Amino acid sequence: MTTAILVAAGRGTRMGLDVDKLFLEVAGAPVVAHAWRCLDRSPEIDHVVLVIRPDLESSFRKLAEAHVHPSKPWSLTAGGPERQHSVSNGLDAVPTETTLVAIQDGARPCTSPLTLRLCLDAARRIGASVAAQRAVDTIKESDDASTITRHLDRSRLWTVQTPQCFRVDVIRRALAAVRVKGLLITDDTAACDLIGQRVELVECQDPNPKVTSRADLPLIDLLLRSIQC
Amino acid sequence: MTTAILVAAGRGTRMGLDVDKLFLEVAGAPVVAHAWRCLDRSPEIDHVVLVIRPDLESSFRKLAEAHVHPSKPWSLTAGGPERQHSVSNGLDAVPTETTLVAIQDGARPCTSPLTLRLCLDAARRIGASVAAQRAVDTIKESDDASTITRHLDRSRLWTVQTPQCFRVDVIRRALAAVRVKGLLITDDTAACDLIGQRVELVECQDPNPKVTSRADLPLIDLLLRSIQC
């Protein structure tokens, strides 16, 4: 059984808006409704766990009725203070028969069914995978946020997105290692490093942007109108 | 005297199009016309050198007449096989009184006057600078283009763009060092490493995208219609 964990507990503070970025309207529905719909429509996914802020429970129930019309079973669980706590809570809430999980950002509404399938295939094969694209930008490292410390070789760089997919035992062991060491991680594949688990980069061809600022919305609107989840 | 070098000699092969990406129409004019206009309108810039493919000389002359209406002196020079050769050719063609150069991608049409000014200020001060933004994506390094080798710390990462600005003696020495060592570099700040020249990261607040694929055009159209070069 494959369960999707939709991480939708953030506050979108980077946008500096009153309205949660997950609930910004784009292509006729809130951002997070598109993200949920992508998972719900995928033949690979059997159940969707949404990790949300507890005060938004009724908003998500309304979202299901008004925009998503889910065809798969789903459940809500409360997020934690940081992403890794939200993912842990999501893992605690998956149906017991779950062997494979797809962790998806609630603010990433354009993920294609193909990307989701390829990521799940890779996780089934080697244990862990992540949707990725070759870096387009030239990237520099800086020690002081003021001058360049290290010029990185772009041909070796990948930007990683979600879905991040795992065999459920792998991600549970990895996050347990994070807890034992008291680390703060920004993405779940980094946790795999601690247990020596390889992570496959699944090159996705389709644009898979995340809503991080208002400037992202016009492109996302355009993409959503041209794809079908 | 400050001279801009507009690097417009690429073929845009990544787009897989017959039409050169620099000549794609966006917001009523070809991409490269917007880039040229930004430089021409800047009070910081005294002269513009355009580095072009020799077979497109008449196209650029027509562009000036039809779209740019330059108010500053400008000249054309031929590009080389790689970006670094094009930049070298551009440097050979700057007026002799030039003390400061701004190197700009022909495919980057939205650079704001503020970004240009801040980059030139920094180059005047420490010798070299580059327009940069904090990395938004999570970046991984891979040895084999298949699995993750190293998880990079995003808080230390910057994406760099253009303008890249230099005191003219600095960039000349840096590119001479590249030639002596027979290296191929992808951006001009990397050359500074060879001569121990520090490069300032100039955080630009305004979106400053490059046309790399057709998917970039709708956002760029929107940005161009909302800013004034």
Side-chain angles (χ1 to χ4, degrees), chain B residues 22-35:
Chain B
L22 297 176
F23 285 90
L24 288 172
E25 287 267 329
V26 61
V31 167
V32 70
H34 293 285

Side-chain angles (χ1 to χ4, degrees), chain A residues 37-198:
Chain A
R37 206 145 57 181
C38 288
L39 300 171
D40 184 71
R41 300 295 184 270
S42 163
E44 318 283 328
I45 301 292
D46 302 302
H47 185 103
V48 180
V49 171
L50 292 99
V51 187
I52 65 164
R53 283 157 46 195
D55 57 318
L56 292 181
E57 185 174 331
S58 71
S59 304
F60 276 92
R61 296 200 180 280
K62 279 181 208 149
L63 197 74
E65 271 179 46
H67 292 289
V68 184
H69 314 294
S71 60
K72 305 279 172 65
W74 56 280
S75 51
L76 300 176
T77 193
E82 299 288 341
R83 185 190 161 85
Q84 70 200 52
H85 308 117
S86 292
V87 171
S88 281
N89 292 1
L91 280 168
D92 290 344
V94 302
T96 49
E97 312 89 306
T98 301
T99 52
L100 211 59
V101 291
I103 300 170
Q104 173 73 340
D105 290 332
R108 213 177 278 277
C110 306
T111 304
S112 75
L114 178 63
T115 294
L116 186 58
R117 183 164 64 76
L118 293 176
C119 288
L120 285 167
D121 286 350
R124 203 175 280 120
R125 208 166 51 240
I126 78 157
S129 71
V130 57
Q133 289 180 327
R134 289 175 188 275
V136 171
D137 295 318
T138 301
I139 312 277
K140 309 292 181 182
E141 225 174 300
S142 175
D143 286 343
D144 60 3
S146 161
T147 53
I148 296 172
T149 309
R150 198 161 77 95
H151 300 264
L152 302 173
D153 173 2
R154 186 173 64 187
S155 68
R156 296 163 46 87
L157 300 183
W158 294 72
T159 66
V160 299
Q161 308 163 342
T162 65
Q164 307 198 342
C165 299
F166 306 92
R167 288 202 297 251
V168 76
D169 56 306
V170 165
I171 186 65
R172 282 192 171 129
R173 272 191 296 128
L175 289 181
V178 169
R179 271 193 300 273
V180 166
K181 301 209 175 193
L183 299 176
L184 196 65
I185 54 162
T186 51
D187 77 301
D188 312 306
T189 66
C192 291
D193 223 27
L194 299 178
I195 58 162
Q197 167 67 48
R198 285 194 310 143

Side-chain angles (χ1 to χ4, degrees), chain B residues 73-92:
Chain B
W74 56 280
S75 52
L76 300 175
T77 193
E82 300 288 344
R83 183 190 162 85
Q84 70 199 56
H85 308 117
S86 292
V87 171
S88 281
N89 292 1
L91 280 168
D92 290 344

